[in-house]
Amino acid sequence: MANAGKKFFNQRYQQLGGTIKDVSLTPSLRINTLKTTAKTLIPRLKKQGATLTKIPFTKHGYYIQSEFSPGAITEYLLGYYYLQEAAAQLPVEVLNPQPTETVLDCCAAPGGKTTQMAAAMNNQSRIIAYDLKASRLQALLTNLERCGITNTAAFGGDATKVRKLDIAFDKVLLDAPCSGNYLSEPDWFKKRNHDGILLSSKIQKRLLRLAVDVLKPGGTLVYSTCSLEPEENELNMDWALNNLPVSVEPFHLPLGDPGITTVFGQKLDERVANCKRFWPHKTNTEGFFIAKLVKT
Amino acid sequence: MKVKDFLKQFGITNVPPAQTLGDSYFVIEDASLLTYRPAYLGECIGHQRGDTFIPSIDFLQWVGHQAKKKITVDEKGEWLFTRGWNLPGKYVTTHTNPERGDLVVIMNQHNECLGYGQLIEDIASTKTILKRRFDIGDILRRDRQSRKP
């Protein structure tokens, strides 16, 4: 196929200043501060033979090296931590939800970012969480329960149903459904093609419009994907700047490249450079993209 | 079995005001969203599985600290119990003198509740003394079940 395969994607990435390189990701977790502290958990896991090393660019993230499965021990079952990839911990840190704010999580399952937001909000105020797929919703419910979340209302179904609630949100997290990246699943290059990416982009635009609609003026929306494809990232942000009442704002993170402002010859709004793009070979994380939008 | 009956087995009479959402029980302070039929709202205290009430992880901790009849196990006993095994007496480190037939909660060395079971032998026996009824590993088994196509 002309619009698929490793060669096709590698050519695209090279035009964008990237490349394909196998990166071995160290398993990572985030300590659930609703239930424990680093001071308590680290020695407890060390006694069992696990070494935790702080992820320097996260608040509560640690790389874990252990001979046992970190997803099957008592501390995990009791919700003391959540297994969450390093880059995936960053959208919530950029959103920075506060205990007084009302927050929407558009595509919440399996709940890593929802539980992270609830912890940041100290289980106060309210998170409204949606997920479309029934099987994924069950994973979300289980993780909410395990992590002791009490400030979240979770709903099954399309996030567009949130309009019925008639809530103006202070903040929205849109961790959009996306095509993923070559580190996120085996045989990614065989499974994905350009048509699928365009379809994802269409869905993402629909969700972006919804997210901005239900956001208060001056409210913050963080948009993220684990995709490296510009159609799901920079091109969507350029579209948002041209079609929605938003600005794309700068934010500080010690890693990631600026969003690309010239994509396959197309010149985008300069503010797209305020986004962050994570090439795995540079950040040693999964492929990722984060943008911070403010409703005008 | 409802929440009240579940707690009665442990001699607990203080029953939280739970509401049901689907097969799950929640303590809900702000009921304003109930009309939109959430799947999760407020504090989850457990689930109905057939005729059996299954406590949530946090509700189990509350039950564990309220219950009078307890067994504390060592790390090996904790490992076995949370993987669904019945409990041999040699892993018990302390207990509150429960008798054969009693329903007892199982605590680990950190005073965390791992589940509960029925004493089927004298507590001093080295044989299998406890038939497991529920353990916190249930949450993993539930998760795996939900992922099946």
Side-chain angles (χ1 to χ4, degrees), chain A residues 17 48 50 54 76 79 86 117 150 159-160 180 188 195 217 231 242 247 259 272:
Chain A
Q48 297 177 58
K54 186 83 176 67
Y76 173 81
M117 290 198 289
T150 58
T160 54
W188 185 88
D195 294 342
E231 293 86 347
N242 287 310
S247 60
V272 172

Side-chain angles (χ1 to χ4, degrees), chain A residues 35 44 47 71-74 76-78 80 126 128 135 137-139 141-142 144-146 148-150 152-155 164-165 167, chain B residues 30 33 36-44 47 56-58 61 75 78 82-83 108 110 112-114 136-137 139-140 142-143 146:
Chain A
K35 289 198 168 189
R44 204 168 146 171
K47 196 178 168 197
I73 61 171
T74 298
Y76 173 81
L77 298 171
L78 292 175
Y80 293 169
R126 173 62 51 83
I128 303 290
S135 59
L137 181 69
Q138 184 53 54
L141 304 183
T142 301
L144 292 174
E145 177 197 326
R146 187 176 63 84
I149 307 306
T150 58
T152 298
F155 296 86
K164 287 183 190 170
L165 273 54
I167 297 172
Chain B
D30 176 4
L33 291 171
Y36 301 102
R37 303 181 68 187
Y40 187 106
L41 180 65
E43 182 185 356
C44 178
H47 313 278
S56 71
I57 293 292
D58 283 3
Q61 300 312 303
E75 287 165 4
E78 174 179 344
T82 56
R83 278 150 185 82
N108 68 6
H110 298 279
E112 293 155 341
C113 187
L114 305 172
I136 56 172
I139 208 159
L140 278 186
R142 212 188 309 162
D143 191 39
S146 73

Side-chain angles (χ1 to χ4, degrees), chain B residues 4-132:
Chain B
K4 186 180 173 184
D5 300 322
F6 170 76
L7 291 174
K8 197 175 169 185
Q9 300 176 103
F10 298 97
I12 301 169
T13 53
N14 181 12
V15 182
Q19 299 188 54
T20 53
L21 299 178
D23 292 332
S24 300
Y25 294 83
F26 293 84
V27 175
I28 299 167
E29 285 184 13
D30 176 4
S32 61
L33 291 171
L34 277 177
T35 52
Y36 301 102
R37 303 181 68 187
Y40 187 106
L41 180 65
E43 182 185 356
C44 178
I45 64 164
H47 313 278
Q48 194 69 38
R49 191 179 295 164
D51 292 335
T52 309
F53 174 82
I54 301 293
S56 71
I57 293 292
D58 283 3
F59 193 57
L60 177 69
Q61 300 312 303
W62 182 80
V63 170
H65 289 100
Q66 297 286 316
K68 298 273 188 298
K69 292 169 182 173
K70 302 182 191 191
I71 286 175
T72 302
V73 297
D74 65 12
E75 287 165 4
K76 176 75 174 170
E78 174 179 344
W79 192 91
L80 287 171
F81 185 72
T82 56
R83 278 150 185 82
W85 292 74
N86 295 330
L87 199 64
K90 62 180 178 179
Y91 301 121
V92 175
T93 57
T94 59
H95 58 79
T96 58
N97 295 312
E99 295 177 355
R100 193 186 297 193
D102 283 347
L103 192 67
V104 294
V105 296
I106 311 302
M107 312 298 284
N108 68 6
Q109 296 294 310
H110 298 279
N111 202 29
E112 293 155 341
C113 187
L114 305 172
Y116 49 88
Q118 190 163 24
L119 213 58
I120 54 171
E121 286 289 340
D122 188 272
I123 189 75
S125 171
T126 53
K127 292 192 289 188
T128 297
I129 58 158
L130 182 114
K131 185 171 172 53
R132 185 197 68 88

Side-chain angles (χ1 to χ4, degrees), chain A residues 183-196:
Chain A
L183 290 177
S184 65
E185 59 182 316
D187 298 328
W188 185 88
F189 291 114
K190 291 179 184 170
K191 293 175 183 170
R192 305 295 175 188
N193 60 45
H194 194 242
D195 294 342

